[in-house]
C-alpha cells in the first residue's frame, strides 16, 4: 500500500507569526540553556517551535517557585520537559522540590508495616531540638542514642508514661534510623494488630504470614501494648509466640505503653475480664523484660 503523506502550507500571516515566535525563543533564557546542552541549530528550533514554546511556558511557571504548596503546574511537583534522543519528545519530570520530598521518605520502603502518623517518618533522633526540653527528656533521648550507636545491641527499650508525652515519636525515630541503615523494620500498633488478625480467622494462611513477618523483622516497634482489649487469645496465642520468637532469635524489639512493667502485668493477667491468670501474664512480662529496658518518659502531653 502506498504511504500517505500530508503536507500543510502556512499562510504568510502564519509564517510571520512563527518567525516572530522563533525570534523570541532564540532569546529565551530557558531555550538558550536547553540549546547549549543539546547543540541544535536554528532550523531545528524553527521546525519544532511549538514544542519549544510549550517547554518555555512550562519552565516559566516554575520560576520563583517557593515549594510544592505554591506549584502552578497542572500536575503538582511535575512538569513536561523536552528530551532529545534522535527525536525530540516530551517527558514528565519531577521538580527539585518533589525529588527532595521523595528523598525524605526514601527509607519508607524498609517498613513492612507502619501504623503511625505519616509525619513520624520524618523523625530524626539526631536532629531533635533539645534546647527547651527538661533534663529528664534529654536523658531519655541519650538512652535512645546509646542504643542506636551500639551496632551489636539486640536489646530494645520499653517506653512508658502518660499519653502524649512522645513515646511513639521516639520509637518511630529509632525505626527510621534503622530503616535508613537498610534494615527491615515494622511499626505495629498492638490493638490494630489484634483487630486485623481477628479479621483473618477464616484465612489461617494469611494470619500465619502476617505473624511470621512481624516475628522475623529486623526491628519491631509494638506500639501501645496494654492498650488493646486483652483476651486469653490475644495474650497467649498472639503476643506470647510473637515475643517468644523474637526473644529466641535475638531480634531488636521496642515497646511503647501507658503502663510500667508491673501495671502491664496486672492488665495482662485478666484474660477474658473474669478470671485472673497471673502465670500467663508473667510469661509475657518475662519476655518483654528480656527484650527491653524500661524507660520512663515524663512530661505533659505534646499533642495539640
Amino acid at each position: 500500500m502506498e504511504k500517505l503523506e500530508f503536507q500543510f502550507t502556512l499562510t504568510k500571516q502564519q509564517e510571520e507569526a512563527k518567525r516572530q515566535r522563533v525570534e523570541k525563543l532564540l532569546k529565551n533564557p530557558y531555550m538558550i540553556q536547553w540549546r547549549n546542552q543539546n547543540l541544535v541549530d536554528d532550523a531545528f528550533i524553527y521546525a519544532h517551535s511549538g514544542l519549544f514554546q510549550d517547554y518555555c511556558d512550562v519552565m516559566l511557571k516554575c520560576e520563583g517557585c517557593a515549594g510544592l504548596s505554591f506549584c502552578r503546574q497542572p500536575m503538582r511537583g511535575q512538569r513536561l520537559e523536552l528530551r532529545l534522543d534522535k527525536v525530540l519528545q516530551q517527558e514528565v519530570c519531577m521538580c527539585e522540590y518533589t525529588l527532595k520530598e521523595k528523598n525524605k521518605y526514601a527509607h519508607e520502603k524498609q517498613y513492612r508495616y507502619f501504623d503511625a502518623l505519616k509525619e513520624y517518618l520524618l523523625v530524626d533522633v539526631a536532629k531533635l531540638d533539645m534546647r527547651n526540653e527538661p533534663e529528664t527528656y534529654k536523658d531519655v533521648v541519650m538512652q535512645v542514642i546509646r542504643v542506636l550507636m551500639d551496632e551489636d545491641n539486640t536489646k530494645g527499650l520499653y517506653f512508658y508514661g502518660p499519653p502524649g508525652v512522645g513515646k511513639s515519636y521516639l520509637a518511630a525515630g529509632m525505626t527510621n534510623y534503622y530503616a535508613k541503615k537498610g534494615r527491615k523494620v515494622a511499626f505495629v500498633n498492638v490493638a490494630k494488630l489484634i483487630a486485623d488478625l481477628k479479621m483473618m480467622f477464616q484465612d489461617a494462611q494469611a494470619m500465619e504470614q502476617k505473624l511470621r513477618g512481624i516475628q522475623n523483622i529486623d526491628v519491631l516497634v509494638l506500639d501501645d501494648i496494654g492498650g488493646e482489649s486483652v483476651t486469653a487469645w490475644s495474650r497467649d496465642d498472639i503476643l506470647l509466640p510473637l515475643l517468644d520468637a523474637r526473644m529466641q532469635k535475638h531480634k531488636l524489639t521496642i515497646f511503647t505503653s501507658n503502663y510500667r512493667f508491673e501495671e502491664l502485668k496486672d492488665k495482662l493477667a485478666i484474660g477474658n475480664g473474669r478470671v485472673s491468670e497471673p502465670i500467663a501474664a508473667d510469661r509475657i512480662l518475662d519476655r518483654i523484660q528480656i527484650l527491653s529496658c524500661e524507660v520512663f518518659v515524663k512530661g505533659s502531653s505534646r499533642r495539640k
Side-chain angles (χ1 to χ4, degrees):
M1 182 181 291
E2 187 177 336
K3 184 178 179 181
L4 296 177
E5 293 186 359
F6 297 93
Q7 293 184 348
F8 299 94
T9 303
L10 298 179
T11 65
K12 288 184 178 181
Q13 187 177 9
Q14 289 171 330
E15 282 281 4
E16 178 60 22
K18 185 171 183 177
R19 186 190 64 78
Q20 291 180 11
R21 181 171 64 196
V22 171
E23 274 189 14
K24 290 181 180 179
L25 280 172
L26 292 174
K27 298 174 184 177
N28 188 294
Y30 295 115
M31 189 69 252
I32 292 171
Q33 183 180 17
W34 190 95
R35 188 177 184 182
N36 289 338
Q37 293 171 344
N38 294 275
L39 304 176
V40 297
D41 58 19
D42 291 0
F44 187 87
I45 296 173
Y46 185 89
H48 301 89
S49 61
L51 284 176
F52 284 122
Q53 186 62 61
D54 290 343
Y55 167 72
C56 291
D57 291 343
V58 165
M59 297 302 291
L60 184 62
K61 286 183 179 180
C62 288
E63 193 172 288
C65 181
L68 290 175
S69 300
F70 304 92
C71 182
R72 294 188 293 165
Q73 299 294 349
M75 298 178 289
R76 182 174 179 268
Q78 300 180 69
R79 63 187 177 218
L80 284 173
E81 296 190 9
L82 289 177
R83 181 167 64 89
L84 182 61
D85 184 12
K86 295 184 179 179
V87 296
L88 188 66
Q89 52 190 322
Q90 292 179 314
E91 63 177 10
V92 178
C93 297
M94 297 180 185
C95 74
E96 58 181 296
Y97 293 112
T98 301
L99 291 172
K100 186 177 180 180
E101 187 78 5
K102 188 176 180 181
N103 187 55
K104 286 196 302 184
Y105 292 98
H107 62 287
E108 186 177 5
K109 65 180 182 293
Q110 298 299 118
Y111 276 89
R112 187 178 181 92
Y113 302 102
F114 188 72
D115 300 332
L117 298 172
K118 179 81 172 180
E119 64 199 56
Y120 279 17
L121 285 168
L122 301 180
V123 180
D124 187 337
V125 175
K127 295 181 180 178
L128 292 180
D129 185 355
M130 306 298 290
R131 288 172 297 181
N132 298 317
E133 297 291 352
E135 289 301 319
T136 52
Y137 190 77
K138 291 179 182 178
D139 289 342
V140 170
V141 173
M142 286 308 301
Q143 289 185 66
V144 169
I145 292 174
R146 281 194 291 270
V147 170
L148 297 179
M149 293 299 99
D150 185 355
E151 295 184 1
D152 298 322
N153 178 63
T154 59
K155 189 160 188 172
L157 298 175
Y158 178 95
F159 298 108
Y160 78 96
V165 294
K167 305 181 296 293
S168 300
Y169 187 86
L170 290 173
M174 294 181 74
T175 46
N176 287 338
Y177 174 86
Y178 290 116
K180 290 173 184 177
K181 290 287 185 179
R183 298 178 71 177
K184 298 296 183 182
V185 300
F187 191 105
V188 176
N189 178 273
V190 177
K192 185 177 183 301
L193 172 64
I194 300 302
D196 288 348
L197 292 174
K198 281 182 180 179
M199 297 294 291
M200 297 178 183
F201 268 141
Q202 304 303 318
D203 191 344
Q205 185 176 358
M207 182 185 292
E208 175 62 25
Q209 185 177 1
K210 180 158 188 171
L211 275 173
R212 187 165 56 248
I214 296 171
Q215 287 174 355
N216 296 327
I217 204 79
D218 294 335
V219 181
L220 170 67
V221 168
L222 288 174
D223 187 45
D224 198 22
I225 189 168
E228 73 280 11
S229 178
V230 177
T231 65
W233 172 76
S234 66
R235 181 193 61 208
D236 303 334
D237 295 339
I238 303 301
L239 284 179
L240 181 61
L242 170 59
L243 297 175
D244 198 52
R246 295 194 64 79
M247 181 185 70
Q248 292 180 17
K249 295 174 182 178
H250 305 286
K251 296 289 187 179
L252 185 62
T253 310
I254 301 156
F255 303 85
T256 77
S257 181
N258 292 331
Y259 306 98
R260 64 176 188 267
F261 279 157
E262 288 305 312
E263 291 172 333
L264 180 65
K265 176 182 172 181
D266 292 340
K267 182 169 175 58
L268 291 171
I270 309 302
N272 287 313
R274 296 186 299 274
V275 181
S276 178
E277 300 178 276
I279 294 177
D282 272 334
R283 287 199 295 265
I284 298 288
L285 190 61
D286 177 62
R287 284 154 179 78
I288 293 175
Q289 290 176 318
I290 291 172
L291 287 165
S292 63
C293 297
E294 192 176 36
V295 177
F296 178 47
V297 184
K298 186 180 180 181
S300 55
S301 177
R302 295 166 180 266
R303 295 174 184 158
K304 295 181 180 180

